[in-house]
């Protein structure tokens, strides 16, 4: 897949991510989970926020690589888990094409799978999500961005 498939961009701030995870937690707070499985790397930070809000102490990871920046490639499962997900909350930041989600569903068929953001192609593979984004939208997460100096407009115009 190519970066040319992205025609829109959606920037998520740290504050927005935290608000979105808290909103999902309101929908899950009555459930009792044995633990959380984060899909790395994108699911690590949301999983930590879920753990805090739901008071879950046991966190594990499924380590899968499917992206190299904006280029989606093959799946490389670097670490799995030793259970079927029964009673566990499975967390990722985003479900995109569903390629990773399908593989993780095979590994953890009984887990309750949540993502903060979902695109149409992957949406049917998760149990819950908060925000749907267009398939051609690249989501810029806060952990991929840095703070940079921006020159004042007056100075830009004078050049």
């Amino acid at each position: 897949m190519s970066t040319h498939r992205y025609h829109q961009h959606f920037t998520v701030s740290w504050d927005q991510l935290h608000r979105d995870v808290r909103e999902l937690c309101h929908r899950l707070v009555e459930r009792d989970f044995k633990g959380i499985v984060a899909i790395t790397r994108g699911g690590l930070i949301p999983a930590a926020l879920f753990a805090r809000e739901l008071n879950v102490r046991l966190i594990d990871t499924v380590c899968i690589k499917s992206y190299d920046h904006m280029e989606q490639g093959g799946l490389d499962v670097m670490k799995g888990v030793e259970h079927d997900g029964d009673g566990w909350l499975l967390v990722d930041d985003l479900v995109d094409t569903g390629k990773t989600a399908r593989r993780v569903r095979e590994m953890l068929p009984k887990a309750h799978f949540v993502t903060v953001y979902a695109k149409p192609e992957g949406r049917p593979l998760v149990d819950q999500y908060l925000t749907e984004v267009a398939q051609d939208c690249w989501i810029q997460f806060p952990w991929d961005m840095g703070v940079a100096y921006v020159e004042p407009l007056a100075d830009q115009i004078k050049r």
Side-chain angles (χ1 to χ4, degrees):
M1 291 198 193
S2 168
T3 56
H4 300 294
R5 75 184 187 118
Y6 301 110
H7 302 290
Q8 302 176 54
H9 288 268
F10 174 47
T11 301
V12 178
S13 68
W14 287 110
D15 289 340
Q16 185 64 53
L17 178 71
H18 199 182
R19 281 192 302 272
D20 290 347
V21 169
R22 284 180 59 94
E23 178 62 33
L24 265 173
C25 286
H26 278 289
R27 301 171 189 184
L28 297 167
V29 75
E30 299 298 323
R31 299 186 62 159
D32 188 28
F33 295 104
K34 293 178 186 176
I36 293 173
V37 176
I39 300 173
T40 67
R41 287 180 318 206
L44 284 172
I45 291 170
L49 296 172
F50 276 99
R52 191 248 182 217
E53 298 300 337
L54 299 176
N55 203 23
V56 175
R57 304 275 178 182
L58 185 57
I59 301 175
D60 202 349
T61 58
V62 169
C63 304
I64 297 180
K65 181 180 179 184
S66 63
Y67 273 93
D68 186 10
H69 184 53
M70 292 173 78
E71 298 294 327
Q72 193 173 28
L75 287 179
D76 180 15
V77 179
M78 297 172 281
K79 179 190 170 288
V81 292
E82 298 293 323
H83 55 81
D84 64 4
D86 189 30
W88 287 73
L89 180 64
L90 178 60
V91 174
D92 206 354
D93 56 347
L94 162 73
V95 61
D96 191 331
T97 63
K99 192 172 171 183
T100 300
R102 268 187 218 66
R103 181 66 181 104
V104 174
R105 275 284 193 205
E106 292 169 3
M107 297 166 67
L108 298 161
K110 295 183 179 179
H112 187 79
F113 192 179
V114 298
T115 61
V116 186
Y117 307 100
K119 293 185 180 181
E121 287 179 27
R123 185 185 63 231
L125 296 164
V126 299
D127 297 308
Q128 285 181 279
Y129 65 93
L130 184 68
T131 302
E132 184 173 336
V133 251
Q135 198 67 45
D136 68 346
C137 183
W138 178 258
I139 300 176
Q140 192 70 56
F141 288 101
W143 50 84
D144 288 329
M145 297 181 296
V147 178
Y149 173 78
V150 176
E151 188 177 26
L153 287 176
D155 293 344
Q156 291 175 28
I157 292 170
K158 289 178 185 177
R159 278 191 277 135

